[in-house]
Amino acid sequence: AQTVTQSQPEMSVQEAETVTLSCTYDTSESDYYLFWYKQPPSRQMILVIRQEAYKQQNATENRFSVNFQKAAKSFSLKISDSQLGDAAMYFCAYKRAGAGGTSYGKLTFGQGTILTVHP
Amino acid sequence: KAGVTQTPRYLIKTRGQQVTLSCSPISGHRSVSWYQQTPGQGLQFLFEYFSETQRNKGNFPGRFSGRQFSNSRSEMNVSTLELGDSALYLCASSFDRSAGKLFFGSGTQLSVL
């Protein structure tokens, strides 16, 4: 079974600074997707960034970028120029790729990292 | 485009009762998934529905069930509620099932007394 581990229960950053959230995962699959989701106090999970395992290039979305190390099974999220609105719980998630009923709709999530942004 | 809508936002029930939660996906999304979120267990996958059929199921007892209607709206039902069922229940919809991009609602917070 796949597992996702976030070893940092809490992180903090000063506004305008950069912070990196860590995530490791375990899988025997070669093709999969990795995600970072953000959950603010409103409780809605918001997709931040997505990485396809077969792509070597790291995904980037504006101030958010990832460092994907497939061999090490590591997937960290870097937030640049942190803003107060970035404060939230961040979840790393894994999904098996390909067709097949057991992969549809199912993400495996880590335990989350609470990010605090100080003004 | 409207996002994923879940109703109600809060619910209080007592042990032994049953409850039904509702989820309206983003227009055009035909896949709906349900997740349970608790402080202890984190986010756990319950099941996925597509074209009115359950296609994938997580490791939950049979007291947890669901259905999907022809307009892709979905309901989740929990019978014989237990204290441990207290949780945030999140619904997510997707357009491309294989790509894994899920769009979540704000959830229903269920408290079982």
Side-chain angles (χ1 to χ4, degrees):
Chain A
Q2 295 82 20
T3 57
V4 177
T5 302
Q6 294 178 247
S7 58
Q8 306 155 316
E10 296 184 33
M11 290 285 284
S12 64
V13 64
Q14 290 293 133
E15 200 175 2
E17 297 293 306
T18 296
V19 64
T20 298
L21 309 184
S22 301
C23 172
T24 58
Y25 58 95
D26 187 27
T27 182
S28 58
E29 304 282 338
S30 59
D31 197 12
Y32 47 87
Y33 301 101
L34 295 166
F35 307 83
W36 279 98
Y37 276 88
K38 162 186 174 181
Q39 187 177 40
S42 67
R43 309 178 319 193
Q44 183 180 18
M45 298 278 283
I46 300 164
L47 177 62
V48 174
I49 200 163
R50 171 176 170 267
Q51 174 77 44
E52 296 162 319
Y54 66 87
K55 287 187 177 178
Q56 294 196 354
Q57 187 173 6
N58 289 323
T60 316
E61 288 287 344
N62 301 313
R63 297 182 295 107
F64 299 88
S65 62
V66 299
N67 183 3
F68 172 50
Q69 301 290 326
K70 191 172 185 179
K73 293 180 182 172
S74 169
F75 183 61
S76 61
L77 174 70
K78 185 171 85 170
I79 306 173
S80 304
D81 185 26
S82 297
Q83 300 175 359
L84 295 178
D86 294 334
M89 175 87 91
Y90 285 80
F91 291 93
C92 178
Y94 166 100
K95 181 191 176 301
R96 188 165 68 86
T102 58
S103 71
Y104 291 145
K106 181 179 179 181
L107 298 182
T108 300
F109 286 89
Q111 288 296 105
T113 297
I114 299 172
L115 177 66
T116 302
V117 181
H118 298 289
Chain B
K1 222 182 220 186
V4 177
T5 304
Q6 290 188 247
T7 56
R9 293 234 30 202
Y10 300 92
L11 211 45
I12 300 175
K13 292 286 186 178
T14 55
R15 277 186 303 170
Q17 287 187 310
Q18 76 163 17
V19 67
T20 300
L21 313 181
S22 180
C23 172
S24 293
I26 292 172
S27 178
H29 288 194
R30 293 168 60 199
S31 168
V32 173
S33 304
W34 289 89
Y35 286 79
Q36 181 195 64
Q37 184 177 18
T38 60
Q41 298 297 316
L43 282 145
Q44 294 186 287
F45 171 75
L46 280 155
F47 29 63
E48 188 243 4
Y49 282 85
F50 180 79
S51 291
E52 301 176 60
T53 303
Q54 187 182 94
R55 306 289 181 162
N56 196 5
K57 191 179 190 312
N59 190 25
F60 278 82
R63 300 184 298 105
F64 292 81
S65 63
R67 59 178 175 166
Q68 186 180 35
F69 302 94
S70 58
N71 60 358
S72 295
R73 190 178 72 86
S74 178
E75 287 181 348
M76 191 192 99
N77 186 276
V78 188
S79 62
T80 319
L81 283 166
E82 300 177 0
L83 296 179
D85 297 333
S86 294
L88 178 66
Y89 290 89
L90 291 163
C91 164
S93 72
S94 72
F95 178 76
D96 180 351
R97 298 168 75 206
S98 62
K101 268 191 189 180
L102 299 188
F103 296 87
F104 286 82
S106 296
T108 294
Q109 183 68 52
L110 172 65
S111 297
V112 182
L113 306 178

